[in-house]
Amino acid sequence: MIRRLLPFVAFLGLAVLLGAGVMMNSGKDTSAIPSPLVGRPAPDFALPVLGEPGRIVRKADLLGAPYLLNVWGSWCPACRDEHPVITRLAESGVVRVVGYDYKDTTEDAQRWLQQFGNPFELVITDEDGRAALDWGIYGAPETFLVDAQGVIRWKHVGPVTDEVVQAQLLPLLESMR
């Protein structure tokens, strides 16, 4: 008799554990991935400017004013969705917006910017994705807010939306002034 009930009891136990896990995570944003870099200095980097391979930009070159580092690629469909939001943000002048072209060819990236517009003050490119490892970047789009001293203050994984700008980014920028 006990042998017959054992599989049912095991199934019931697993169902209770699954239910408890679902209830404990209900209402939480499961797309939010905390970054261990928030609150720490941005990694050092030396990356070429898109279309200007002889011009290298380093972390030190961006110090002095906050900037938004927007990781994108011409191959990324979600980057196309967020592009109008990034464009409006750049046009507002509230923060410098630096593009980080990730795992892309120069030709594809330039063609994409011609088609959709270039809102970036500067576009650095990481064709092989090696520098991205130091930033903890694993895909696109991802966006970082770096303060004037070079400390990462915010990271967003996925497309930046108007709601994210209003609810998270603008208040954080205001608190940094």
Side-chain angles (χ1 to χ4, degrees):
M1 176 80 162
I2 292 177
R3 280 190 172 154
R4 286 184 166 170
L5 289 178
L6 191 56
F8 177 72
V9 170
F11 172 77
L12 195 58
L14 287 173
V16 167
L17 284 174
L18 178 64
V22 168
M23 292 196 51
M24 287 172 46
N25 285 312
S26 66
K28 292 183 181 176
D29 182 5
T30 56
S31 68
I33 300 171
S35 173
L37 296 178
V38 172
R40 294 188 175 170
D44 287 325
F45 61 89
L47 291 169
V49 173
L50 181 66
E52 300 178 50
R55 182 176 167 208
I56 303 298
V57 173
R58 292 172 174 74
K59 173 186 166 180
D61 298 328
L62 298 176
L63 298 178
Y67 64 93
L68 197 69
L69 185 74
N70 180 244
V71 181
W72 64 279
S74 65
W75 47 265
C76 166
C79 296
R80 187 178 295 192
D81 295 338
E82 86 168 351
H83 196 70
V85 176
I86 297 298
T87 299
R88 284 191 296 277
L89 188 59
E91 289 171 351
S92 76
V94 72
V95 67
R96 295 184 300 160
V97 182
V98 175
Y100 188 110
D101 184 35
Y102 177 63
K103 290 190 174 182
D104 213 349
T105 67
T106 297
E107 297 77 22
D108 288 344
Q110 288 175 327
R111 188 172 24 257
W112 195 87
L113 289 172
Q114 266 187 330
Q115 182 178 357
F116 298 107
N118 185 353
F120 305 111
E121 176 181 296
L122 174 74
V123 178
I124 55 179
T125 184
D126 186 5
E127 284 190 29
D128 61 13
R130 288 189 188 159
L133 296 173
D134 295 335
W135 284 87
I137 296 168
Y138 62 89
E142 292 186 23
T143 305
F144 298 83
L145 177 63
V146 182
D147 71 16
Q149 293 74 39
V151 176
I152 297 173
R153 296 298 175 191
W154 179 76
K155 178 181 180 181
H156 182 77
V157 176
V160 172
T161 63
D162 288 322
E163 293 76 20
V164 168
V165 169
Q166 292 298 320
Q168 297 176 31
L169 185 58
L170 292 180
L172 187 54
L173 282 166
E174 187 61 36
S175 72
M176 289 170 47
R177 291 174 202 243

